[in-house]
Amino acid sequence: IEALCPVDIMRRAGIEVRTTAIGTRREVRGAHNITVSADMLFSELHIEGTPELLMLPGGMPGTINLEKSAAVQNALDYAAERGLIIGAICAAPSVLGHKGLLKGKKATCFPGFEKDLIGAEFAEVPAQRDGNIVTACGAGAAFDFGFLLLETLSGDKAAAEELKKT
């Protein structure tokens, strides 16, 4: 839900979204044994000049796998260097904290991961935006996260609010 809800919201708004899987298979099994087929492998993504947003879903062991992936780390470097929007939900904001991307920013996460938001001011809210970083606390905040990502990406709060009504 943490990945698919925001993807669905953005696609409903007419934004092209491509989901990717790290590793060698497009099928991704979530923490609750739900299998999803990604649009492509991360290795097929040409990150240079392509995305406006990089989003990391949470969950375990997914967050650990994202943090261990050199390709994900390189994508985060690329996004951070260019000021692209970076979103992370549940445990995934810990990846941003460990990388130093949350220094001086407000951020939220799944309870218990606050210590991993290194350099951030913890915000006890469902979803938080600070500049180009958008974080959320978990599955219950997936809609808030999706709409905040949409608003951040489109720059149009009214459009995001209107989509909430449909």
Side-chain angles (χ1 to χ4, degrees), residues 5 9 18 36 48 67 76 79 89 97 99 101 109 119-120 130 132 136 163:
C5 184
I9 288 168
R18 288 179 276 169
V36 176
E48 295 83 13
E67 188 155 20
L76 285 169
I89 186 170
K99 197 159 186 61
L101 298 178
C109 62
D130 192 332
N132 66 318
L163 187 60

Side-chain angles (χ1 to χ4, degrees), residues 7 89 105 107 125 155:
V7 167
I89 186 170
K105 296 192 177 284
V125 294

